[in-house]
Amino acid sequence: MAQVITSADQIDFTVDERPSMPLPTEVLMVRPLHFSVDYVINPHMADQVGKVDKIEANNEWELVRSLFDQVGMNIHVIEDQEGLPDMVFCANQSLPYIDEDGNEHVFMSIMHADERKDEVPYIEQWYRQNGYKIHFLDEDNISDFEGCGDAIWHTGKRLLWGGYGYRSSLEAYETISDTFDVPILALELVDESFYHLDTCFCVLDEDTALIYPEAFTNEGLEMINKMFDTVIQASKYEAEELFACNASCPDGRNVIIQQGCTDVNKNLRDNGFSVHEVSTYEFLKSGGSVFCMKMLLW
Ligand code: ARG
């Protein structure tokens, strides 16, 4: 059922009606030996050039990795490359998918910023070695698409959410929807601090999402409210300063989240989730946290 949907009145199915998709079991991470803030491509990076503590960043990354391990995921690690200081954010270079026959597919990204374009072939190589069917977008017609930074699977369902406006274009979702044969609910992003969908929208389980509402249009909020029974809202402080919505809930139960999101964490616990806090302060300097430091796979 290929379709790109931009308003709630175009949605003629319920989440329950969408075919199920297995939960991911694997996590891909990129070791941040060369991570730093060398340029400014989002508002969080302003004033942070040269300010990353590399040793601390590596320690934080190891703790994030051990939390994914603790909640039962299998971890795969790629080494990063000198001169590609954002390669650690491996949610961004691709969008993987498992079809109904269990075959693994991936769309490779067209990075918005020139500074990040050379990351993509390294990630592509990993998919190639691991037997994925690799798909490409038409660079003549689509200007940008930043993978799972903007394209987020609805937990356990053949249904995709797609952010656009800063790093990905709406047109990208037509091709992706046709190729994967899934409907895509497209959400326009309207606040530059929330430049990727994964900075303001986190699917926790089939029925629950965590969002920062001010990052969306009314049309977008209507779609979110129509598809989730429970929508937890993060405050501006926890969303913008602590990247609360950049949490990851790989199994619909355990939430790995930046330390200190007090109000969000209370809400998560009240809704039955287990919260695992971790410090990602060095990565926040670059505009990223837990969700974008990994890729979930099957
Ligand atoms: N400095 C990186 C960038 O601006 C951070 C990416 C964070 N990734 C994410 N999915 N939010 O591209």
Side-chain angles (χ1 to χ4, degrees), residues 29-187:
M29 292 182 73
V30 174
R31 195 189 309 280
L33 288 184
H34 302 90
F35 168 61
S36 63
V37 178
D38 289 359
Y39 44 75
V40 178
I41 56 171
N42 71 55
H44 304 270
M45 299 170 94
D47 302 326
Q48 299 294 351
V49 171
K51 296 210 178 132
V52 168
D53 178 336
K54 286 203 172 149
I55 294 176
E56 190 52 28
N58 271 282
N59 292 340
E60 290 179 351
W61 183 88
E62 286 294 348
L63 287 175
V64 172
R65 162 171 139 150
S66 70
L67 281 175
F68 278 104
D69 182 48
Q70 253 177 56
V71 302
M73 308 294 291
N74 300 315
I75 323 272
H76 307 260
V77 176
I78 300 182
E79 299 304 320
D80 72 352
Q81 297 288 322
E82 195 175 348
L84 297 176
D86 274 332
M87 193 171 157
V88 61
F89 297 112
C90 64
N92 303 159
Q93 306 90 349
S94 67
L95 165 65
Y97 171 64
I98 184 163
D99 69 22
E100 302 197 44
D101 301 321
N103 300 311
E104 293 171 314
H105 299 253
V106 66
F107 257 105
M108 299 314 300
S109 299
I110 303 172
M111 301 306 285
H112 178 80
D114 286 343
E115 289 91 337
R116 296 198 61 189
K117 287 188 188 289
D118 290 346
E119 297 171 18
V120 181
Y122 290 105
I123 305 291
E124 182 188 325
Q125 193 186 0
W126 186 89
Y127 283 113
R128 215 171 275 289
Q129 286 161 354
N130 285 274
Y132 278 71
K133 179 162 176 31
I134 302 181
H135 303 266
F136 297 95
L137 293 162
D138 175 6
E139 303 214 15
D140 292 336
N141 292 307
I142 292 163
S143 53
D144 47 18
F145 170 66
E146 292 203 350
C148 292
D150 276 318
I152 299 179
W153 289 107
H154 194 109
T155 308
K157 289 290 173 181
R158 299 191 178 277
L159 174 63
L160 191 66
W161 293 86
Y164 67 96
Y166 294 104
R167 299 294 189 89
S168 299
S169 4
L170 184 56
E171 298 74 59
Y173 295 117
E174 293 289 344
T175 312
I176 295 167
S177 174
D178 285 347
T179 311
F180 288 174
D181 193 27
V182 293
I184 300 182
L185 299 164
L187 299 171

Side-chain angles (χ1 to χ4, degrees), residues 126-258:
W126 186 89
Y127 283 113
R128 215 171 275 289
Q129 286 161 354
N130 285 274
Y132 278 71
K133 179 162 176 31
I134 302 181
H135 303 266
F136 297 95
L137 293 162
D138 175 6
E139 303 214 15
D140 292 336
N141 292 307
I142 292 163
S143 53
D144 47 18
F145 170 66
E146 292 203 350
C148 292
D150 276 318
I152 299 179
W153 289 107
H154 194 109
T155 308
K157 289 290 173 181
R158 299 191 178 277
L159 174 63
L160 191 66
W161 293 86
Y164 67 96
Y166 294 104
R167 299 294 189 89
S168 299
S169 4
L170 184 56
E171 298 74 59
Y173 295 117
E174 293 289 344
T175 312
I176 295 167
S177 174
D178 285 347
T179 311
F180 288 174
D181 193 27
V182 293
I184 300 182
L185 299 164
L187 299 171
E188 186 177 9
L189 303 176
V190 294
D191 180 334
E192 217 194 340
S193 279
F194 300 90
Y195 58 95
H196 272 147
L197 184 60
D198 72 6
T199 64
C200 49
F201 175 86
C202 179
V203 182
L204 297 164
D205 67 13
E206 242 177 80
D207 310 313
T208 320
L210 163 64
I211 68 164
Y212 176 64
E214 278 76 17
F216 297 100
T217 61
N218 286 337
E219 285 76 16
L221 289 173
E222 275 170 29
M223 289 198 281
I224 294 169
N225 288 320
K226 181 162 180 176
M227 298 313 265
F228 293 97
D229 295 340
T230 306
V231 178
I232 301 173
Q233 302 198 352
S235 67
K236 182 172 166 72
Y237 170 71
E238 291 187 8
E240 193 165 17
E241 306 298 320
L242 299 178
F243 271 57
C245 303
N246 202 248
S248 175
C249 184
D251 56 0
R253 205 159 48 86
N254 290 287
V255 183
I256 305 174
I257 188 167
Q258 161 65 30

